[in-house]
Structure formats: C-alpha cells, structure tokens
Amino acid sequence: MTQLLFNKDIYTKVIQESIPKAKEFVWIATADIKDMYVLQNGSMRPFLAILADLISRRVEVRLMHAKEPGPNFRKDFDAYPVLFGGLERMLCPRIHFKIVIVDGITAYTGSANLTGAGMGAKGDNNRNFENGILTKDPALLSQLLEQFDSVWRGDFCSKCKRKAYCGDCPVK
C-alpha cells in the first residue's frame, strides 16, 4: 500500500494515526522543527507529549533535524523530563530530507517539515502546500530506513564540510 498525501492528510495519517501506535520505534528526520500541537483524545497536546508517551512505553524515538528549534519547542521539551535521556536526537545541518518511519512497516516521505504549517496541523488558511507518500512497500521502506540510518551512523561525516556546525557528528 502506497498513497499520496496532501496537507491535512499528512497530519491525520502520520501524526495522529501512525506515530502514536508505534510499538518498537519511530525515526523522524526533518530540516525544520517547531512546537506542534496534536489533537488527541479531544484535546490539543504538544507533539513532544506524544513522543514522551512513546518513550515511556519503551518505544525507541530518534529525531534528526538541521537546526535548533525555537524557544516554544524548548519550553515544551522541558515539560517532559523523559525526553532528556530517552529521545535520541542528532543535529545535522545537512538534513533536508523529511522521513517518518514507524516500526519499519510504515513510512512517510515528502516535503513537509515537522512543523504545524508543514504537517497540516494548522488551520486551513495557515498551512503550507505539501505532499508526500505514505507507504508500507517493503522495497521503498528498506531504502528509506537505509537513508536515515546512514546519516545517523555518520557515513557522510568524514567528507562533510560543515562539521564545525555539527556538535552531534558521530565522526570527529
């Protein structure tokens, strides 16, 4: 199953439905990240609360992003102490791809950053125009897993000319 998603469908299928149901792992790569809120059980919660819930259930959560998020994200982050040691995070200024992989069986890849406007969490008139693919196709999943993992492992770090800006680079 592979389907093309637009705007609010990205939010519904990826953020509201797929990520909270993770049992083993969630890997997220995004260029930009902001404090996003998610409708869950009738109320709006910070997306970081969803990640904290996953970590509390012993789901591995990895997050790669290109730049430090703003103060609102930091405030939400600080409200969930389980994230301090439980969220595996890497800052890499070269990240521009957007991937969400859930349990190695579902993946989103597309144009949307992990922001309310990107993922479609904002109102109809405040959203970016985004699209992406949601898939369970094993061949495509394998390639997305490898792209994410190769950056996570630091396969490109030795030749990167931006290491001075990358405090999390696994290769020094």
Side-chain angles (χ1 to χ4, degrees):
M1 183 266 325
T2 298
Q3 65 184 116
L4 183 61
L5 303 178
F6 300 99
N7 300 328
K8 183 127 179 132
D9 290 338
I10 298 169
Y11 170 75
T12 303
K13 299 280 186 181
V14 178
I15 302 299
Q16 285 186 305
E17 295 175 8
S18 296
I19 291 174
K21 293 178 184 172
K23 292 180 175 40
E24 295 179 34
F25 69 89
V26 174
W27 290 357
I28 301 169
T30 184
D32 193 13
I33 184 168
K34 294 182 180 172
D35 64 321
M36 178 173 59
Y37 281 71
V38 179
L39 180 62
Q40 190 179 50
N41 301 324
S43 64
M44 297 302 285
R45 297 181 67 207
F47 178 68
L48 288 169
I50 309 300
L51 298 184
D53 291 347
L54 292 173
I55 292 166
S56 294
R57 292 188 352 238
R58 299 179 191 238
V59 173
E60 171 191 284
V61 180
R62 290 184 176 175
L63 172 63
M64 290 193 296
H65 52 99
K67 61 183 181 176
E68 285 294 346
N72 292 335
F73 180 94
R74 186 80 225 178
K75 183 179 173 189
D76 284 346
F77 186 90
D78 290 346
Y80 301 97
V82 72
L83 296 173
F84 301 163
L87 177 64
E88 298 178 61
R89 189 177 75 92
M90 180 195 299
L91 181 71
C92 173
R94 295 264 185 218
I95 295 292
H96 199 265
F97 59 88
K98 290 83 174 176
I99 297 175
V100 176
I101 302 171
V102 178
D103 295 334
I105 57 173
T106 303
Y108 163 82
T109 187
S111 61
N113 281 303
L114 195 63
T115 65
M119 286 288 174
K122 296 250 182 184
D124 289 342
N125 298 322
N126 297 334
R127 292 188 199 126
N128 297 342
F129 302 120
E130 308 280 3
N131 69 24
I133 295 171
L134 184 67
T135 188
K136 292 181 183 269
D137 178 85
L140 187 51
L141 270 159
S142 176
Q143 292 173 51
L144 292 169
L145 281 160
E146 180 53 29
Q147 181 184 20
F148 185 105
D149 206 30
S150 66
V151 174
W152 188 264
R153 288 188 309 258
D155 291 359
F156 306 99
C157 292
S158 64
K159 296 178 184 174
C160 179
K161 296 185 185 330
R162 309 247 335 138
K163 287 200 306 188
Y165 305 99
C166 184
D168 295 333
C169 181
V171 177
K172 299 296 176 191

